[in-house]
Amino acid sequence: MSTERGRLMARTRQRTPAEVALIGRHTHQRSVVLKALIRADGFVGAQALHAQLAANGTPVGLSTVYRTLTRLADAGRADLVRDAGGERLFRYRPGPDHRHYLICTECGLSRPVDSGPIEDWADAIAQDSGFANVRHTVELSGVCPDCG
C-alpha cells in the first residue's frame, strides 16, 4: 500500500467507540494534544504542553489543550496530580489501571508506587459507607535522591 493511500485511510477510517470516548469528537487539534502528551516525559501541565506545541509550530488553542487533557483524565487515560502551586499536571495512561505516583518537588521526577493498600482502603470505605462509584486522589511528594 502506498504511503499516501495509508495516510488517507488513517484520516478517513471510522473511529472506534473507545477512541471517540477517549478524546471526543475527532479533530486534528485533539489528536495533536494526545500525541504530545504521549511523547511527554513525565507529568506536564496544560500551559507547558501548549507552549511546546506552539514552539513546534503546531497551532492549538490553550482551551483545546485544557479540554482535551481533562477529557483524557475523565476517561481514565491520563493520570492527574497537582503541583505545589496547585497546577494540574497530566501524564498519559496507556492502560486502564489507575496509578499513584511519588513526585519530586524539586525536579518533577515521578515514580509509580504500589497502590494496592490505597485501593483496598478506598474499596473498604466505599463498602462500609454504602457509597457507589467512589473515586479518590492520593498525592505523594518529596525530594528524590538526586535532588536530596
Side-chain angles (χ1 to χ4, degrees):
M1 174 184 327
S2 75
T3 303
E4 183 59 32
R5 182 173 177 213
R7 274 186 257 172
L8 178 61
M9 288 177 67
R11 281 196 314 255
T12 59
R13 75 174 174 84
Q14 291 293 95
R15 298 179 63 77
T16 67
E19 289 172 315
V20 172
L22 182 61
I23 59 173
R25 185 173 53 88
H26 175 71
T27 66
H28 174 71
Q29 290 82 8
R30 287 182 179 173
S31 293
V32 166
V33 172
L34 175 59
K35 289 175 186 173
L37 182 64
I38 290 170
R39 287 189 309 267
D41 184 28
F43 284 90
V44 63
Q47 291 184 17
L49 197 60
H50 177 259
Q52 177 187 2
L53 290 168
N56 292 338
T58 308
V60 176
L62 181 58
S63 61
T64 298
V65 174
Y66 272 110
R67 279 193 307 269
T68 302
L69 293 174
T70 300
R71 182 175 283 272
L72 287 167
D74 290 346
R77 296 312 298 264
D79 292 312
L80 170 64
V81 297
R82 292 191 184 269
D83 68 8
E87 180 182 5
R88 295 183 310 160
L89 305 175
F90 300 85
R91 179 179 185 160
Y92 180 69
R93 186 189 313 164
D97 295 336
H98 175 71
R99 301 179 95 184
H100 295 282
Y101 295 87
L102 181 58
I103 301 172
C104 178
T105 56
E106 301 295 319
C107 69
L109 174 72
S110 61
R111 296 268 164 94
V113 297
D114 175 17
S115 60
I118 295 167
E119 302 304 327
D120 294 343
W121 173 79
D123 291 344
I125 294 294
Q127 287 181 348
D128 290 348
S129 68
F131 276 56
N133 301 320
V134 172
R135 299 183 330 189
H136 63 275
T137 302
V138 176
E139 296 180 16
L140 304 169
S141 60
V143 179
C144 74
D146 289 342
C147 293

